[in-house]
Amino acid sequence: MNELFTIVQHFHPQGTVTDIRPLGTGLINDTFRVTTAEPGAPDYVLQRINHHIFCDVDGLQRNIEAVTNHIRRKLEAGGAEDIDRKVLRFLPADGGKTYWHDGESYWRLSLFISRAQTFDSVAPYYSYNAGQAFGRFESMLVDLPGSLTETIPGFHDMELRLRQLREAVRTDAAGRVKEVGRYLDEIEQRADGMCLAERLYREGSLPKRICHCDTKVNNVLFDEEGGALCVIDLDTVMPSFVFSDYGDFLRTAANTAAEDEQDLGRIGFDWDVFCAFTQGYLDSARAFLLPVEIENLPYAVALFPYMQCVRFLTDYLNGDTYYKTAYPGHNLVRTAAQFRLLQLVEERQEKMRAFISANV
Ligand code: GN1
Ligand code: MG
């Protein structure tokens, strides 16, 4: 822990640091809350960036700076108040970059947004606000000059994720392929349909935009009244299809259970959350969305449980090398839970289509 105190000092925080303790439940980075003594000094969030997954930390932080500065300027131009609660602010470290390399790990420090809350599941009212927040996030970035790095190349490329799964099956590094035949069949049956986005992109009819690409419900900060304050966890902000942001939020928020629920009977699809989120998203994004993007939103709701099922299963077959796991078989439990959710979404495709056409 002393080591963490030393690292924080490279960012020259205001006030005296009195406490540093783990924060949140992310599966990739290690996150800590940094508390300062003085009432006037802010608290901070310290993160160790997982550079085995995000290999180009410099490019990643340049993306985040470009995005947060752009949003900050827009908020300022629009006369917004309390801007440090609406967009993340990263501190420069010694050397001038917004990260510090201690020879082994990469670290970054941002302002802690106080009086904010995160949730692993939300009521419809919150979902409407979150939908609006993600639509606004994308719309503020439609005119971002220059291009962003793909911090994980092909991150939401379904064709790539399937190739990675097939490779894991071929290698069978952990000797687990024999246990998962049922999931492999279910996945292969749907593979063609699920790669629709890549086909539309190749034909030139579907654009990539700057998306958040990890819109899990716990990556939105809400204020005390349930308003969406700020979108966090910006490592994966990159060019992608809008399906990423729309689909991944519903994957987590509309699921009535956790993404790793063991009792499949508890997994449900919350229709009211779907409706509220969709309305919020369309209210702030309909001005820039193309018909092909709107028409395929129901596909996006299925795509993300499917993709996550493929990714968790791939990691299971590879011997659990990517996601943090809490117990043996955790990635297989996650696979089963995502597959169950996918089935529930598939049953509701027509109903979703009707709701979206009535609300555009
Ligand atoms: C990871 O970092 P975290 O826990 O918010 C993952 C997402 C997955 C998610 C599944 C870089 O997100 O893509 O959807 O776990 N992030 C990365 O819970 O792989
Ligand atoms: Mg997160």
Side-chain angles (χ1 to χ4, degrees):
M1 275 298 180
N2 267 343
E3 179 213 0
L4 297 180
F5 281 81
T6 312
I7 287 156
V8 168
Q9 292 313 316
H10 288 289
F11 294 88
H12 305 282
Q14 289 177 46
T16 318
V17 175
T18 51
D19 188 47
I20 302 181
R21 63 181 61 198
L23 175 71
T25 56
L27 300 184
I28 306 293
N29 298 316
D30 297 317
T31 308
F32 304 88
R33 172 157 178 190
V34 177
T35 309
T36 56
E38 297 75 1
D43 285 356
Y44 298 91
V45 175
L46 175 69
Q47 270 192 318
R48 187 208 317 260
I49 304 168
N50 186 329
H51 67 276
H52 303 290
I53 289 177
F54 297 105
C55 305
D56 176 10
V57 172
D58 197 73
L60 171 120
Q61 283 301 118
R62 273 188 280 118
N63 276 3
I64 292 182
E65 283 170 41
V67 163
T68 52
N69 291 340
H70 192 76
I71 292 178
R72 183 175 296 276
R73 275 194 295 272
K74 288 219 166 158
L75 292 172
E76 281 164 4
E81 286 169 15
D82 235 0
I83 291 177
D84 274 336
R85 291 171 65 71
K86 296 182 177 150
V87 60
L88 294 179
R89 183 193 283 280
F90 290 87
L91 274 69
D94 290 329
K97 307 262 193 193
T98 55
Y99 62 89
W100 174 252
H101 185 216
D102 66 6
E104 197 179 313
S105 300
Y106 292 84
W107 301 88
R108 65 182 165 213
L109 193 74
S110 57
L111 288 187
F112 178 80
I113 299 180
S114 55
R115 293 172 288 115
Q117 19 180 8
T118 59
F119 300 100
D120 290 317
S121 66
V122 286
Y125 171 69
Y126 288 79
S127 304
Y128 177 88
N129 294 338
Q132 236 187 357
F134 283 119
R136 200 160 48 226
F137 182 82
E138 289 176 352
S139 80
M140 284 199 275
L141 295 172
V142 281
D143 60 348
L144 181 76
S147 56
L148 296 186
T149 315
E150 276 197 31
T151 53
I152 298 180
F155 186 50
H156 280 171
D157 179 335
M158 196 59 244
E159 291 175 347
L160 172 70
R161 295 302 184 183
L162 283 163
R163 284 199 298 279
Q164 290 172 334
L165 173 64
R166 290 166 189 151
E167 181 58 27
V169 171
R170 222 175 43 76
T171 316
D172 197 11
R176 294 172 172 173
V177 169
K178 56 182 182 301
E179 303 166 29
V180 303
R182 173 185 168 227
Y183 293 115
L184 292 173
D185 291 346
E186 297 281 5
I187 286 169
E188 289 300 344
Q189 279 168 30
R190 293 165 172 83
D192 250 21
M194 289 295 177
C195 294
L196 174 69
E198 282 72 34
R199 283 198 298 279
L200 292 172
Y201 179 68
R202 270 196 298 276
E203 286 165 11
S205 49
L206 179 69
K208 286 196 182 179
R209 305 180 182 279
I210 305 301
C211 295
H212 181 279
C213 294
D214 190 15
T215 56
K216 292 209 299 200
V217 56
N218 64 16
N219 282 335
V220 187
L221 297 186
F222 292 93
D223 64 21
E224 294 106 322
E225 281 80 49
L229 261 179
C230 181
V231 166
I232 60 170
D233 208 351
L234 304 177
D235 298 322
T236 53
V237 174
M238 66 178 109
S240 188
F241 309 120
V242 292
F243 306 151
S244 294
D245 291 352
Y246 180 76
D248 215 20
F249 183 86
L250 287 170
R251 177 181 76 80
T252 51
N255 187 348
T256 54
E259 73 173 2
D260 60 352
E261 174 61 54
Q262 307 207 16
D263 176 358
L264 298 184
R266 295 179 59 176
I267 298 173
F269 186 83
D270 188 324
W271 183 250
D272 295 335
V273 165
F274 166 82
C275 294
F277 178 75
T278 300
Q279 279 170 329
Y281 181 70
L282 289 175
D283 282 350
S284 57
R286 70 165 63 76
F288 72 85
L289 290 175
L290 299 175
V292 65
E293 294 175 305
I294 295 173
E295 278 156 25
N296 286 300
L297 291 177
Y299 152 74
V301 191
L303 178 61
F304 279 82
Y306 177 79
M307 189 183 301
Q308 207 56 63
C309 181
V310 169
R311 293 178 62 195
F312 285 143
L313 185 59
T314 304
D315 198 34
Y316 182 67
L317 296 181
N318 287 337
D320 311 315
T321 57
Y322 187 90
Y323 293 107
K324 293 182 195 166
T325 51
Y327 54 86
H330 198 168
N331 273 317
L332 189 57
V333 167
R334 289 169 171 152
T335 303
Q338 294 298 298
F339 182 69
R340 178 68 196 130
L341 180 65
L342 170 65
Q343 291 175 309
L344 296 175
V345 169
E346 286 174 340
E347 289 163 11
R348 289 162 178 76
Q349 286 285 291
E350 271 321 306
K351 224 174 130 190
M352 289 180 186
R353 222 175 293 290
F355 182 82
I356 290 167
S357 351
N359 281 276
V360 280

